[in-house]
Amino acid sequence: MNQLQKIILEEAYWRRERLKLTHPLNQLFWECTLRCNLACRHCGSDCLAVADAPDMPFDDFAPVLDSVRSHQPRQRTYVWTVGGEPLVREDIAECGRKITEKGFLWGMVSNAMLIDRAMMRYLADAGLRSIAIDIDGLRDEHTWLRRNPASFDRAYDAIGALRDTPGIVWDVITCVHPGNIASLPELRRMLIEAGVRKWRCFTIVPMGRAKDSGMSLSPAQMRSLMDFIARTRAEGKISLSYACEGFLGDYEGRARGSIYTCIAGLTVASVRANGDISGCLSIRSQYSQGNIYRDDFWDVWQNRFRPFRDREWMRKGQCADCEMWRHCEGNGFHLRDDDGELMLCHLHTLKEA
């Protein structure tokens, strides 16, 4: 790691320390449904077509927004409707319209199975400002992961619908695993030709349906992915970044547009389908700090997120004597199990390569 990287990491440390004190709520994720029209092999939520938990009515979620708005009247917080697949809710556009009317920015994460030009116009008219869709490799690779023969064409056609809808910020997300890592250069070419400007890659977290999937990258594959991302960023033809998965050591500043910080509980909160309040919806372990059906959301956000803002309790196991603790602080919350043990360390994986 060169001197410039060290200085950048130190600057990021102090920005993170400031966020621990101020914790502005910049993003709020609403798990509006656990239903999904796919059954993907890598799903961390293990969502099903018919979920045991019913969709949360918007009227149950609305008081959360009112509370946030009353305490942050001048801040345009992003509210992300996620699932499951949010578009399986017949009232999703009405939910988005109400989110927008309350003064929030509305975003969505979708598998794109139900997206076409008419749907995008409908969502944009309801106030949708940002959306992310999944394309997980070339046709056979995407189809294998998503387990639906129509999924690749639907997702690829959705790019055209997104490209032709004005006022929408969008990107493509790709799950990288041993079965598609070799195809990333060809996928990059296809995405660039299709007009994709922003692209994110992530890797498997061993949770939910993905726990025993065998789709984690080897150390050599992980380093190959980081090199691919760094080269692609340097070329400048498409804005590619590694998602907020974990600290990357020497690749910090080269694999993302920002330095890694797990912002769960610092600037990001979530409301789960059952009302639980947590840091972000990538966290599938039990780190809920309250529930909207019995607690005031803003009080929880202000006063009960200490485990997210003081992470000294994470300094154990691999993290106990790690020289990069100051800049990593125990990696992402989504990489901790119910007992607080670290399931995956990206820095350790890269060092093994």
Side-chain angles (χ1 to χ4, degrees), residues 312-323:
E312 279 296 317
W313 65 270
M314 290 183 172
R315 200 196 285 252
K316 58 183 180 178
Q318 292 184 56
C319 300
D321 56 358
C322 180
E323 62 181 4

Side-chain angles (χ1 to χ4, degrees), residues 224-261:
S224 175
L225 173 60
M226 294 302 111
D227 289 337
F228 171 79
I229 293 174
R231 288 195 305 271
T232 300
R233 291 180 60 81
E235 290 171 1
K237 295 179 181 179
I238 187 171
S239 177
L240 172 61
S241 64
Y242 186 60
C244 54
E245 291 289 311
F247 184 73
L248 301 173
D250 291 352
Y251 288 98
E252 288 297 327
R254 296 194 290 144
R256 301 186 187 94
S258 60
I259 301 299
Y260 172 75
T261 293

Side-chain angles (χ1 to χ4, degrees), residues 141-216:
E141 299 156 354
H142 179 97
T143 301
W144 176 83
L145 191 67
R146 297 287 167 173
R147 300 205 287 197
N148 185 301
S151 59
F152 180 82
D153 287 336
R154 295 282 181 85
Y156 208 74
D157 289 347
I159 292 176
L162 293 169
R163 190 184 58 228
D164 296 342
T165 305
I168 300 290
V169 177
W170 58 279
D171 67 348
V172 167
I173 307 174
T174 298
C175 171
V176 181
H177 57 87
N180 68 0
I181 189 169
S183 300
L184 290 180
E186 177 63 12
L187 180 60
R188 175 182 57 192
R189 182 193 66 77
M190 291 175 60
L191 294 179
I192 292 171
E193 289 184 355
V196 176
R197 296 181 179 180
K198 297 177 66 178
W199 183 23
R200 278 181 288 162
C201 288
F202 72 97
T203 47
I204 292 294
V205 177
M207 297 289 287
R209 194 178 292 129
K211 185 174 182 179
D212 300 313
S213 65
M215 289 190 287
S216 296

Side-chain angles (χ1 to χ4, degrees), residues 65-74 296 298-299 302:
L65 299 182
D66 294 337
S67 178
V68 173
R69 191 66 176 161
S70 68
H71 290 92
Q72 294 188 158
R74 289 180 292 275
D296 176 73
W298 192 256
D299 177 66
Q302 289 293 95

